[in-house]
Amino acid sequence: MTERLLIAYTALAALATAALLAALCIAELRARRAALKKREDELEKALDMSRRANGLTPGNATFLDTEGWILYLLGRYDEARTVMQQAVSFDMTGSPVLLFHYAEILYALGDAFMAEVYWKRALEKGYDARQIELRLKQPAKSSKTAE
């Protein structure tokens, strides 16, 4: 009996994991499509799905990155920074995409110095050197607090 329950629970866990991954993929696809079409309503739907996935798997750096990036695309930079700070702290792999996203958010907030630090970290981890070069050549934005 115990063996059958173990098999059943393992199968359920696999389904739940697959459902979470599917929800995250859908959220990412919605975000990409919305960004291309500049559709805020689609981004809001993607954000909702991403937050649901985060609620089911707290502390998942990849899921947090998706939520933070969607917030960035919505122009909600302060919220994006808060979420991405969590993502960076939970990321055990040093994801170059996550580091790049965090740098972009910091730059949007006017923190060019820290953005440069994270762009360089993303580059060290294998992010596209051409994109990083372009970012590093950008003029510094004024700090949001200095405005």
Side-chain angles (χ1 to χ4, degrees), residues 124-136:
E124 289 169 6
K125 293 291 186 172
Y127 201 83
D128 181 11
R130 288 175 298 164
Q131 283 194 36
I132 299 293
E133 269 182 43
L134 290 172
R135 296 309 193 272
L136 293 174

Side-chain angles (χ1 to χ4, degrees), residues 43-61:
L43 283 172
E44 289 292 344
K45 289 177 188 174
L47 180 61
D48 181 55
M49 293 188 83
S50 179
R51 285 184 167 161
R52 285 187 209 175
N54 281 325
L56 295 171
T57 58
N60 183 308

Side-chain angles (χ1 to χ4, degrees), residues 4-24:
R4 285 192 304 182
L5 282 174
L6 182 60
I7 291 168
Y9 286 141
T10 302
L12 282 173
L15 285 174
T17 301
L20 274 174
L21 290 175
L24 179 64

